[in-house]
Amino acid sequence: MLASGLREEVAPGELLAKFVLSDRHFSRAPQRVKAAAFIPPPGKGSSVFRVSELLAEDVRGIGETVAAARQPPRTLYGHAQIEAASVFATGLSVVAGEPPPRHGDILGWPEEKDLQLELAHSLADATELVLYR
Amino acid sequence: MSATLAAHPYPHAGYSLSPLVSAEGVWLGERLESVRRLLAESHALAGHVRDVFDQLLDLYDECSLPEWDGADAVPVARESLNAAGCFLLSLPRDFPMPEVTADAQGEIHLEWYASPRRILTISFGATALHYAGRFGTSTTRGSEPVAVRVSEPLLYHIRRVFE
């Protein structure tokens, strides 16, 4: 059991939140998150938070904390919500990565950038974008 | 308006195309200069292309420092900007313009979107471009060197997004 109380293994039915901290990573009309939001930095995973059973305001609270912790602090625009099963369906994995509590990473990204883009399209297509502002 | 564009085509503080470091960069810079002149001469072209080009330069201003996302993002390289800019300005005049963004690897994305199943994203690194597209039930992906012109396959894929 992790410090957050969550199990180490991420279950397919879990909801994941990808916080959107750039206004370039989403579109309002039509409302969608862009593939670029999911592309990880070199050698790292794509950061997400495990938010199953949390209230909307609690999810947003985690996002506000994440945005405030960046240097410099970022604006939190919303989050892209995706079921872990949709990530697994692409062949990528989700691995718990606490601290911070509930943090995880989408891992297993291939080296080839064109394939990364294809996977990011699949992830973006499977998300529901929740905007706060 | 043409005179203004000719004198100050891209009035973003601190941005200059020079010095370009590679031979390819020089070629791209020259190409961009030629398209700048074209922009200055054509109201019709300047409108929607210039809007997107301004977005590109704003993005470079925002994303050209290490950790521009407040975390681990790689800075967008000037060569990537030049490559994306030349690509953009080399598109046929009647083509739809893409949305512009950057990823945490420091690559610039040009994205054409009609629906979740009709989308093409091209990412520009310093030396290569990479793309992936979905067109209904079919998909495509690939990589090319940072090119001196928009390749026919990419033009074809952009058209497919809006078929």
Side-chain angles (χ1 to χ4, degrees), chain A residues 22 24-25 27 30 32 34-36 39-42 44 70-72 74 113-118 121-122 125, chain B residues 58-59 62 68-70 72 74 99 101-103 105 107 109 111 113 116-117 121 130-132 134 141-142:
Chain A
S22 168
R24 300 185 188 282
H25 283 170
S27 170
R32 68 182 182 98
K34 296 180 182 176
I39 299 292
K44 302 209 170 188
R70 296 284 178 101
Q71 294 297 327
R74 306 285 294 180
K113 185 61 179 275
D114 58 331
L115 192 47
Q116 292 182 13
L117 293 172
E118 189 171 81
H121 280 169
S122 295
D125 186 21
Chain B
D58 286 343
L59 178 143
E62 185 183 317
W68 52 263
D69 64 346
D72 303 307
V74 173
E99 298 176 53
T101 189
D103 67 29
Q105 298 173 4
E107 298 206 346
H109 288 206
E111 189 164 277
Y113 178 91
R117 300 286 171 169
T121 303
H130 313 277
Y131 61 92
R134 311 173 111 191
R141 63 182 174 88

Side-chain angles (χ1 to χ4, degrees), chain B residues 22-47:
Chain B
S22 66
E24 187 172 61
V26 170
W27 193 98
L28 292 171
E30 289 171 351
R31 181 170 178 78
L32 187 51
E33 284 301 321
S34 70
V35 181
R36 279 174 149 177
R37 287 193 291 274
L38 182 61
L39 273 171
E41 293 166 1
S42 172
H43 276 276
L45 182 63

Side-chain angles (χ1 to χ4, degrees), chain B residues 6-92:
Chain B
H8 304 288
Y10 307 114
H12 287 253
Y15 178 75
S16 167
L17 285 175
S18 299
L20 294 167
V21 294
S22 66
E24 187 172 61
V26 170
W27 193 98
L28 292 171
E30 289 171 351
R31 181 170 178 78
L32 187 51
E33 284 301 321
S34 70
V35 181
R36 279 174 149 177
R37 287 193 291 274
L38 182 61
L39 273 171
E41 293 166 1
S42 172
H43 276 276
L45 182 63
H48 65 308
V49 175
R50 191 174 58 181
D51 286 347
V52 179
F53 207 90
D54 283 345
Q55 293 175 36
L56 198 56
L57 294 174
D58 286 343
L59 178 143
Y60 182 72
D61 283 345
E62 185 183 317
C63 304
S64 57
L65 294 175
E67 302 175 354
W68 52 263
D69 64 346
D72 303 307
V74 173
V76 171
R78 180 169 298 191
E79 289 83 356
S80 301
L81 173 66
N82 289 339
C86 287
F87 186 97
L88 187 63
L89 294 171
S90 300
L91 289 172

Side-chain angles (χ1 to χ4, degrees), chain B residues 117-141:
Chain B
R117 300 286 171 169
R118 304 201 80 83
I119 181 172
L120 177 72
T121 303
I122 305 176
S123 75
F124 293 83
T127 59
L129 65 83
H130 313 277
Y131 61 92
R134 311 173 111 191
F135 316 100
T137 56
S138 66
T139 62
T140 188
R141 63 182 174 88

Side-chain angles (χ1 to χ4, degrees), chain A residues 9-81:
Chain A
E9 184 178 345
V10 178
E14 286 192 45
L15 285 179
L16 310 171
K18 174 76 178 171
F19 290 111
V20 180
L21 305 177
S22 168
D23 60 358
R24 300 185 188 282
H25 283 170
F26 70 97
S27 170
R28 294 186 187 277
Q31 187 167 306
R32 68 182 182 98
V33 68
K34 296 180 182 176
F38 284 99
I39 299 292
K44 302 209 170 188
S46 186
S47 177
V48 292
F49 282 80
R50 303 164 70 186
V51 298
S52 292
E53 300 175 5
L54 291 183
L55 298 173
E57 55 262 40
D58 293 332
V59 177
R60 183 170 179 168
I62 294 172
E64 296 285 3
T65 301
V66 170
R70 296 284 178 101
Q71 294 297 327
R74 306 285 294 180
T75 300
L76 176 66
Y77 292 95
H79 73 268
Q81 188 162 285

